[in-house]
């Protein structure tokens, strides 16, 4: 056993491997301490010879300073990002993307005192590379790289129109030549999207001279109609008039100028403006309408001034009983006629406010005049005026009732204004169609008309049935009984 033990001792002492020992001189910690002391001694050497080792970079800052290290790290990391990107795509290790500066970290530079600075720069480079990677690559994760093509200048007119139809942001400023702009407009028209066409037209309107734009739109009617509508909607009157004059559309120019009266609030200024519009190159029919508009406004100014004076003075009973709710100025012709029939119905024809004067001056048809006057007089419950309005004389001097609007409409207007049953019955009898007459008489409880109609039809069954709808012991019941008895006697 002793021999074996001796052999083992010899083996361990003769081997190139050393056994574990607790001695401090062989411990790795002691070796690290020695290395630390060596580094500290090198730092002292560098500090002592700092003046001799100072160098100046192109920026004027000492090489090795903190600011110089950061700038050098940033420039190095920028160049290393491309390498990192390519290495990641090839599946290589991320360490291949680190900046390689072998000449800066040479052994000779270490003994010259630059080792500590280079180690510091390496740490800063690693930190800057990490931060730079976050800043540069995070936006690519938030938005695909293809999205940045929206702002590029590589899109053709067709692609640009297609992207605009999808709501993408596209810059039209790259289309600078006239040919490119016209191709863009033609592609927009071919796409049949009104919003895209209008957007392209706004771009052309801003970047082309008017005469060039007008000349090109003259042969593109779809785009021309879009531009005219856009100008009318936005109120660009001067540009619109220039366009219409270039196209030699004189009537449209006149109508566009006439439409400006809507923006004039002062009545006197509007009247003068309409007077000037009479001489514009309208068609014959439109010229007549402009003349009537001017004459009507002139009449309204006169009527308004007189009636305001009467209303404020309290001299008219009609104005005291029915105060005016609004001014007559700028009202339509039918409203003016109703106002005249309501407040000035009995005035002579020579007065501007007379209804007959308005009818004659503006050539109002009989049907329109009767309908308006009937509504105005029925609202005042002037049943005598209603009767006179609907009574006419023939050439032999005989009088009869006549209604251009039909007596069924007369009955409806009178009933809407709470006319008494006696007045309603008079006009229900004048309805020619028997079925319509019976429906109106039944609806508005005109019993005499219903009984007389069934009597003329000799319809005993309907008379007997209608007897149940009237009050017991009333005059209508007695009338029905008398008619039924006469039918029985005549039957025998």
């Amino acid at each position: 056993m002793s021999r074996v033990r001796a052999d083992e001792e010899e083996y361990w002492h003769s081997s190139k491997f050393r056994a574990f020992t607790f001695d401090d001189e062989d411990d790795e910690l002691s070796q690290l301490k020695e290395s630390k002391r060596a580094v500290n001694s090198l730092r002292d050497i560098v500090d002592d010879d700092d003046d001799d080792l100072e160098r100046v970079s192109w920026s004027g800052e000492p090489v090795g300073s903190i600011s110089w290290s950061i700038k050098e790290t940033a420039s190095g990391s920028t160049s290393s990002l491309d390498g990192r990107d390519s290495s990641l795509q090839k599946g290589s290790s991320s360490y291949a993307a680190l900046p390689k500066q072998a000449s800066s970290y040479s052994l000779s530079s270490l003994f010259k005192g630059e080792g500590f600075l280079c180690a510091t720069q390496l740490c800063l480079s690693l930190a800057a590379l990490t931060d730079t990677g976050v800043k540069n690559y995070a936006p690519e994760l938030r938005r695909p790289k293809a999205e940045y093509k929206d702002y590029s200048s590589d899109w053709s007119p067709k692609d640009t129109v297609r992207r605009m139809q999808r709501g993408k942001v596209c810059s039209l400023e790259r289309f600078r030549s006239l040919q490119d702009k016209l191709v863009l407009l033609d592609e927009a028209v071919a796409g049949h999207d009104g919003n895209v066409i209008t957007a392209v037209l706004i771009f052309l309107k801003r970047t082309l001279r008017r005469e060039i734009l007008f000349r090109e739109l003259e042969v593109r009617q779809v785009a021309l109609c879009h531009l005219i509508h856009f100008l009318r909607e936005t109120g660009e009157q001067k540009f619109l008039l220039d366009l219409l004059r270039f196209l030699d559309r004189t009537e449209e120019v006149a109508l566009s100028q006439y439409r400006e009266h809507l923006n004039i609030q002062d009545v006197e200024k509007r009247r003068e403006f309409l007077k000037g519009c009479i001489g514009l190159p309208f068609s014959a029919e439109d010229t007549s309408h402009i003349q009537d508009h001017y004459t009507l406004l002139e009449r309204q100014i006169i009527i308004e001034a007189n009636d305001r004076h009467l209303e404020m003075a309290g001299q008219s009973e009609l104005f005291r009983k029915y105060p005016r709710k609004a001014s007559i100025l700028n009202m339509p012709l039918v409203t003016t006629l109703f106002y005249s029939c309501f407040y000035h119905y009995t005035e002579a024809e020579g007065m501007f406010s007379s209804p007959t004067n308005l009818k004659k001056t503006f050539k109002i048809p009989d049907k329109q005049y009767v309908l308006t006057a009937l509504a105005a007089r029925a609202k005042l419950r002037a049943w005598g005026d209603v009767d006179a309005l609907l009574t006419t004389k023939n050439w032999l001097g005989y009088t009869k009732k006549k209604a251009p609007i039909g007596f069924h409409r007369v009955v409806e207007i009178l009933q809407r204004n709470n006319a008494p049953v006696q007045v309603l019955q008079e006009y229900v009898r004048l309805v020619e169609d028997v079925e319509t007459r019976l429906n109106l008489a039944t609806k508005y409880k005109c019993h005499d008309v219903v009984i007389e109609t069934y009597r003329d039809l000799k319809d005993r069954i309907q008379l007997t049935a209608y007897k149940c709808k009237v009050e017991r012991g009333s005059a209508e019941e007695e009338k029905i009984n008398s008619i039924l008895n006469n039918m029985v006697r005549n039957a025998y």
Side-chain angles (χ1 to χ4, degrees):
M1 292 295 295
S2 60
R3 184 178 179 180
V4 171
R5 183 182 300 274
D7 293 337
E8 290 178 356
E9 291 290 334
E10 183 181 359
Y11 170 78
W12 285 110
H13 286 289
S14 63
S15 174
K16 62 180 179 179
F17 299 101
R18 297 183 63 182
F20 177 77
T21 178
F22 288 97
D23 295 337
D24 293 339
E25 60 182 0
D26 297 329
D27 192 6
E28 293 181 358
L29 179 62
S30 62
Q31 296 178 4
L32 291 175
K33 289 181 179 180
E34 291 292 333
S35 299
K36 183 176 181 181
R37 283 193 293 269
V39 170
N40 290 334
S41 63
L42 289 175
R43 186 181 304 173
D44 295 337
I45 296 173
V46 172
D47 292 339
D48 294 337
D49 300 338
D50 189 42
D51 295 335
D52 298 334
L53 297 175
E54 181 175 294
R55 291 176 294 173
V56 179
S57 65
W58 287 105
S59 62
E61 297 174 354
V63 177
S65 62
I66 296 298
S67 60
W68 176 84
S69 300
I70 293 176
K71 290 183 179 179
E72 289 295 311
T73 301
S75 62
S77 61
T78 303
S79 60
S80 63
L81 284 177
D82 297 333
R84 175 182 179 179
D85 188 38
S86 59
S87 63
L88 288 174
Q89 292 178 356
K90 295 179 181 179
S92 60
S93 175
S94 60
Y95 294 104
L98 294 176
K100 298 179 181 180
Q101 301 179 359
S103 60
S104 299
Y105 305 130
S106 63
L107 186 61
S108 60
S109 63
L110 178 64
F111 285 99
K112 292 180 180 180
E114 297 177 4
F116 178 75
L117 296 177
C118 294
T120 305
Q121 182 178 352
L122 179 61
C123 295
L124 291 175
S125 177
L126 289 173
L129 179 61
T130 305
D131 295 340
T132 307
V134 173
K135 294 178 182 178
N136 288 345
Y137 285 90
E140 295 294 329
L141 297 177
R142 290 196 300 268
R143 176 182 291 179
K145 186 175 293 186
E147 293 292 330
Y148 291 106
K149 295 182 180 179
D150 291 343
Y151 306 99
S152 68
S153 59
D154 298 334
W155 297 108
S156 65
K158 186 174 182 179
D159 293 335
T160 301
V161 170
R162 190 177 302 163
R163 294 183 66 81
M164 292 174 68
Q165 289 175 340
R166 295 200 299 264
K168 298 291 185 180
V169 178
C170 297
S171 176
L172 304 181
E173 301 297 332
R174 64 172 297 269
F175 300 102
R176 300 192 178 186
S177 67
L178 177 62
Q179 184 64 30
D180 290 344
K181 293 176 182 179
L182 296 179
V183 172
L184 179 65
L185 178 61
D186 293 337
E187 291 292 343
V189 172
H192 304 289
D193 191 322
N195 293 331
V196 176
I197 296 173
T198 303
V200 174
L201 286 172
I202 293 174
F203 169 67
L204 298 184
K205 174 177 170 290
R206 182 170 53 85
T207 57
L208 292 179
R209 288 188 299 177
R210 291 190 179 185
E211 54 271 16
I212 298 177
L213 177 62
F214 296 165
R215 185 184 67 242
E216 298 298 337
L217 290 179
E218 190 174 8
V219 296
R220 295 171 172 83
Q221 291 298 315
V222 175
L224 178 63
C225 292
H226 275 270
L227 181 60
I228 291 176
H229 179 74
F230 171 75
L231 294 175
R232 284 175 178 167
E233 290 293 324
T234 55
E236 299 185 51
Q237 190 68 15
K238 188 177 184 306
F239 197 96
L240 177 60
L241 292 178
D242 292 342
L243 174 59
L244 295 177
R245 289 192 186 98
F246 179 86
L247 300 172
D248 199 23
R249 299 185 182 181
T250 56
E251 292 187 13
E252 292 188 36
V253 172
L255 288 174
S256 298
Q257 289 180 323
Y258 166 70
R259 195 178 290 112
E260 282 296 303
H261 81 273
L262 298 174
N263 301 324
I264 303 175
Q265 301 299 326
D266 186 79
V267 181
E268 291 294 336
K269 292 182 179 179
R270 179 179 289 194
R271 183 177 67 86
E272 292 299 324
F273 181 82
L274 292 174
K275 185 177 181 180
C277 290
I278 297 175
L280 294 176
F282 291 102
S283 63
E285 184 179 1
D286 290 339
T287 302
S288 177
H289 290 326
I290 302 300
Q291 180 66 55
D292 288 343
H293 190 178
Y294 168 74
T295 305
L296 178 62
L297 182 57
E298 197 173 35
R299 294 284 183 89
Q300 289 174 346
I301 293 174
I302 297 173
I303 296 172
E304 177 68 21
N306 293 334
D307 290 355
R308 187 187 297 114
H309 176 72
L310 290 174
E311 188 176 26
M312 295 178 63
Q315 299 175 358
S316 175
E317 183 180 356
L318 187 60
F319 283 110
R320 290 198 304 269
K321 190 175 181 180
Y322 299 99
R324 299 190 309 159
K325 296 181 179 180
S327 172
I328 194 63
L329 296 175
N330 298 318
M331 292 295 176
L333 177 60
V334 175
T335 306
T336 306
L337 179 61
F338 181 89
Y339 178 92
S340 180
C341 291
F342 193 92
Y343 290 107
H344 305 282
Y345 188 72
T346 59
E347 289 185 0
E349 185 178 342
M351 302 292 293
F352 284 151
S353 56
S354 170
T356 54
N357 190 307
L358 290 174
K359 177 186 177 184
K360 183 177 180 180
T361 301
F362 297 101
K363 299 179 177 60
I364 300 175
D366 290 340
K367 184 179 291 187
Q368 182 67 62
Y369 178 80
V370 170
L371 181 63
T372 307
L374 179 64
R377 303 319 293 173
K379 192 173 185 65
L380 288 171
R381 302 178 66 84
W383 311 123
D385 293 337
V386 172
D387 184 73
L389 180 66
L390 300 175
T391 301
T392 60
K393 285 185 179 183
N394 59 14
W395 62 279
L396 293 175
Y398 295 103
T399 61
K400 69 173 185 177
K401 294 291 192 298
K402 182 180 178 181
I405 61 176
F407 284 105
H408 64 285
R409 295 195 65 185
V410 173
V411 172
E412 292 175 355
I413 294 172
L414 295 178
Q415 192 277 333
R416 198 181 303 129
N417 289 279
N418 302 319
V421 177
Q422 293 78 8
V423 176
L424 284 177
Q425 287 188 149
E426 181 179 356
Y427 295 100
V428 171
R429 287 189 180 98
L430 298 174
V431 178
E432 294 182 0
D433 185 70
V434 176
E435 186 177 355
T436 304
R437 187 194 315 153
L438 284 172
N439 291 335
L440 290 174
T442 305
K443 181 179 180 180
Y444 301 132
K445 297 181 179 181
C446 299
H447 300 303
D448 289 344
V449 178
V450 176
I451 295 171
E452 291 170 2
T453 303
Y454 286 142
R455 181 197 62 188
D456 296 339
L457 295 174
K458 297 180 181 181
D459 194 337
R460 294 181 59 191
I461 297 175
Q462 293 295 337
L463 274 174
T464 304
Y466 196 75
K467 181 181 177 180
C468 302
K469 297 180 181 180
V470 300
E471 294 182 5
R472 187 179 298 275
S474 61
E476 288 79 10
E477 186 181 26
E478 293 180 2
K479 189 174 182 178
I480 293 174
N481 290 333
S482 175
I483 293 172
L484 291 174
N485 292 334
N486 290 334
M487 287 183 177
V488 172
R489 284 196 299 268
N490 292 334
Y492 291 102

